[in-house]
Amino acid sequence: MSGKKKDEGLSRRDFMKTIGIAGIASTGLNMGKAEGAPEQADAGKLALPKRKLGKTGAEVSVLALGGGFDTINNQLLLRQSLNWGINFWDTAENYGNGQSEEGYGHFLARNTDGRKDLFLATKLHAGEPEAMTAALDKCLKRLSTDHVDLLHVHGIGDFSEIAEPKPVRQWVSGAKRAGKIKFFGFATHANMEKCLLDASKADWIDVIMFAYSFRLMNSPDMKEAIAACAHKGIGLVAMKTQGGRQVMIESEAELKMTERFLERGFTDKQAKIKVVFENPNIASVCSLMPSLTILSANVAAARDQTSLTRSDFELLEKFAAETHQSYCAGCGRICYEAVGGAAPVSDVMRCLMYYRDYGERELAREVFSGLPGQARAQLTRIDYARAEQACPRKLPISKLMREASEILQKNSRQSSVVG
């Protein structure tokens, strides 16, 4: 081994000994084999695969740390993510009411050498130039840095929200000249295909973070949008890659899929990430990793070099087809217009996904509490008949909105986390 130490903490064999296959299945971790992974470049540093982030030229780890958790009290996790090769850290101004940025800032203030190794991204809401400047300055102060490598605008549902004649492009140019940001883009959970396609026709978007999973990747519209962005050199970052469901539907394909992947040494959760890695146009997968267990499992998955087979793809496709009516695909404009703009249905659906399929109940309530108060208050009084008729997946929207109100209004805190 030429004297170099192999990473024992992330080997699949040792990891399984530590928590057991039952533990992996119950926690829903993304765990991969690491026997054939590259050796450490030096003690304490792992070589995760990296890809170029579009025309930015930056090389980022294929796994990005999503900062929507208590980073202040998880400084060891931040250090370990950097040690294990995750150089792409993502956060936002309102993750935990700014506490996520503060946690990153605490780390950077105590580890000044670490900043040069990081590709640091944050997000803020679009607005008037003065407000965006003030918000960015607060972000930088919390992050203990004079610049971010990437700034995203939050939750775009239509590219027109930031396109000219809006002043965002001019503001971005000024922020770049001032050295406060290097690159700019936006994050989108709704109407993703149209957002990407419209952005590809512009010439000032560097990066886009968007919801993307095995459920969406075979859509002709999604394929066209990704190809258009790749052609223009726009860096693409995938999120929500597990394709969680709002409605639980039993599926024979799911059982077969789980058994198949376990036989191959994967969990189904890991396979759902790996299938995204298979797309060379996706530079990185942004994942919420609030514990060292999940972090180590995802790093192992990212380092695993085993490619999925055609049969693996077919199992995922069959599962997606069998549970088609359980998943909101984020075509938010359809239901939003059907209810006359009275409720952000797709955003509420995302909260249900966090709560039910991801098991992130507190996160679900935080996201829900960040939605407009009037919309939350009248959620159960809206007539969703037209939305249900228009929904391509025929989701029982009225029933789901009532359930969301009942589940998510409880103990909902006045903070927001919009990834």
Side-chain angles (χ1 to χ4, degrees):
M1 299 293 291
S2 66
K4 292 183 180 179
K5 182 180 178 182
K6 191 173 183 179
D7 173 53
E8 298 175 352
L10 289 183
S11 81
R12 174 178 175 272
R13 189 173 295 125
D14 289 344
F15 188 71
M16 289 179 68
K17 287 180 181 178
T18 301
I19 69 174
I21 192 68
I24 295 170
S26 65
T27 54
L29 301 181
N30 311 310
M31 189 277 299
K33 299 177 290 184
E35 287 93 335
E39 297 177 358
Q40 291 174 270
D42 57 270
K45 290 275 183 153
L46 293 179
L48 268 187
K50 291 182 179 180
R51 294 180 180 175
K52 285 192 175 180
L53 187 60
K55 62 189 176 187
T56 70
E59 290 194 349
V60 296
S61 51
V62 295
L63 185 64
L65 180 67
F69 63 96
D70 182 3
T71 61
I72 293 177
N73 293 307
N74 281 280
Q75 297 289 292
L76 175 60
L77 187 149
L78 300 184
R79 179 183 295 279
Q80 197 60 49
S81 73
L82 193 59
N83 286 343
W84 284 346
I86 299 179
N87 74 334
F88 188 175
W89 288 10
D90 174 81
T91 184
E93 62 173 346
N94 60 346
Y95 284 2
N97 282 330
Q99 291 183 334
S100 174
E101 288 183 332
E102 288 181 14
Y104 282 2
H106 288 343
F107 180 87
L108 293 176
R110 292 168 173 77
N111 301 273
T112 54
D113 289 343
R115 178 66 183 94
K116 71 179 187 305
D117 298 322
L118 281 177
F119 187 88
L120 185 61
T122 195
K123 312 182 195 74
L124 50 77
H125 292 285
E128 294 301 317
E130 296 80 5
M132 292 182 70
T133 296
L136 177 58
D137 288 343
K138 289 179 181 178
C139 290
L140 296 177
K141 183 177 181 180
R142 287 191 291 264
L143 289 165
S144 299
T145 187
D146 61 357
H147 76 282
V148 289
D149 299 284
L150 172 62
L151 179 70
H152 274 141
V153 165
H154 260 309
I156 294 300
D158 194 296
F159 188 62
S160 64
E161 296 173 34
I162 60 173
E164 294 177 301
K166 297 290 177 67
V168 177
R169 179 177 184 174
Q170 183 178 0
W171 179 86
V172 168
S173 296
K176 287 183 175 181
R177 287 195 300 270
K180 294 181 180 181
I181 68 174
K182 287 186 177 180
F183 307 109
F184 175 80
F186 62 86
T188 175
H189 304 92
N191 310 308
M192 290 86 65
E193 296 91 342
K194 186 175 186 303
C195 286
L196 267 66
L197 199 57
D198 288 348
S200 72
K201 299 172 185 176
D203 60 358
W204 58 287
I205 301 299
D206 300 308
V207 181
I208 301 173
M209 179 182 286
F210 65 112
Y212 181 73
S213 70
F214 70 98
R215 294 184 180 277
L216 303 171
M217 63 197 314
N218 292 314
S219 160
D221 289 343
M222 180 63 80
K223 290 180 178 179
E224 178 187 3
I226 288 178
C229 286
H231 179 72
K232 291 296 291 287
I234 296 176
L236 298 175
V237 179
M239 61 178 171
K240 309 297 182 288
T241 55
Q242 289 299 305
R245 293 168 285 175
Q246 288 80 10
V247 181
M248 296 297 104
I249 293 178
E250 292 186 5
S251 167
E252 182 179 349
E254 183 170 17
L255 179 59
K256 290 182 178 179
M257 177 181 68
T258 301
E259 292 175 346
R260 157 73 174 178
F261 291 139
L262 287 177
E263 288 174 358
R264 295 201 64 208
F266 312 142
T267 66
D268 60 323
K269 303 290 186 182
Q270 182 217 5
K272 291 172 185 176
I273 285 187
K274 286 175 68 64
V275 75
V276 175
F277 289 150
E278 296 276 352
N279 187 336
N281 291 321
I282 304 298
S284 188
V285 168
C286 187
S287 177
L288 179 67
M289 298 179 281
S291 73
L292 284 170
T293 302
I294 296 174
L295 174 69
S296 62
N298 283 6
V299 167
R303 293 176 68 218
D304 178 37
Q305 299 299 305
T306 306
S307 296
L308 297 183
T309 66
R310 181 63 253 173
S311 295
D312 295 333
F313 277 86
E314 289 172 352
L315 280 172
L316 286 165
E317 290 172 11
K318 186 174 181 181
F319 170 56
E322 284 193 5
T323 57
H324 178 82
Q325 292 180 302
S326 71
Y327 175 74
C328 173
C331 44
R333 177 184 297 177
I334 295 174
C335 48
Y336 186 74
E337 292 178 351
V339 298
V345 175
S346 64
D347 288 332
V348 178
M349 292 289 196
R350 181 159 52 94
C351 296
L352 279 175
M353 178 184 67
Y354 287 145
Y355 189 95
R356 289 178 168 170
D357 207 54
Y358 288 2
E360 294 285 349
R361 296 188 172 187
E362 192 60 34
L363 175 62
R365 289 179 176 136
E366 287 181 347
V367 175
F368 186 76
S369 70
L371 301 179
Q374 183 177 358
R376 285 185 281 121
Q378 64 183 15
L379 204 59
T380 60
R381 300 195 295 270
I382 298 170
D383 183 358
Y384 296 101
R386 289 185 60 197
E388 291 181 346
Q389 292 174 0
C391 178
R393 295 179 176 242
K394 302 306 176 185
L395 287 166
I397 296 174
S398 181
K399 177 176 179 289
L400 292 170
M401 293 302 101
R402 289 195 305 271
E403 292 176 355
S405 180
E406 179 181 350
I407 293 171
L408 301 172
Q409 295 279 15
K410 296 178 181 178
N411 304 316
S412 184
R413 300 184 304 180
Q414 295 306 308
S415 62
S416 64
V417 179
V418 182

